[in-house]
Amino acid sequence: MATNHWRTFPRWMLEEHENDLRLNAQLSTGRAAEVTAQLQHDPTLIRVLLTLLGNPNTALSTRIGIGVVMEDLAGSDLLKQHIALLGQLSQHQDISIRADACYYLGLSGDRRAIPFLQTCLQDHDLEVQEVATDALQSLNI
């Protein structure tokens, strides 16, 4: 018999994580376009998206959805406003998070991403170095 464990959580806990759960569900089930539309109505949701990006336990299907949304946001003011946070993620201990952050820094189209990407050229992981190189090239460096 299936149980609804979420019903045992205090309501405040569900409300606190409602956006995380909703975006995660949408991203992991191929509904990234819905997330992009929600971001246009509520730009503060990008913080939830970047939190998911920075969590090493985020499922691959969700990470793929994040990539779709970030590509939709390429060159947008919303993405440019979060270069510092992406720059922090480019220094994360997890290799895939660093590589993804470098890619998204390149998608920003903003020269403020350059110092973060240049740092990643010295990363101990070859994949991170390659993504940073590609991102710098996309910024015409």
Side-chain angles (χ1 to χ4, degrees), residues 4-5 18 27-28 35 38 61 63 78 98 108 122 132 135:
N4 294 322
H5 295 289
E18 183 177 354
L27 292 165
S28 68
V35 174
Q38 290 172 48
S61 57
R63 291 189 178 287
L78 182 58
R98 291 197 310 272
S108 74
Q122 307 305 315

Side-chain angles (χ1 to χ4, degrees), residues 86-94 98 101 116-117 119-120 123:
L86 285 168
Q88 289 175 358
L89 291 172
S90 73
Q91 301 304 306
H92 196 280
Q93 67 183 23
D94 186 276
R98 291 197 310 272
F116 297 112
L117 293 169
T119 299
C120 290
D123 195 276

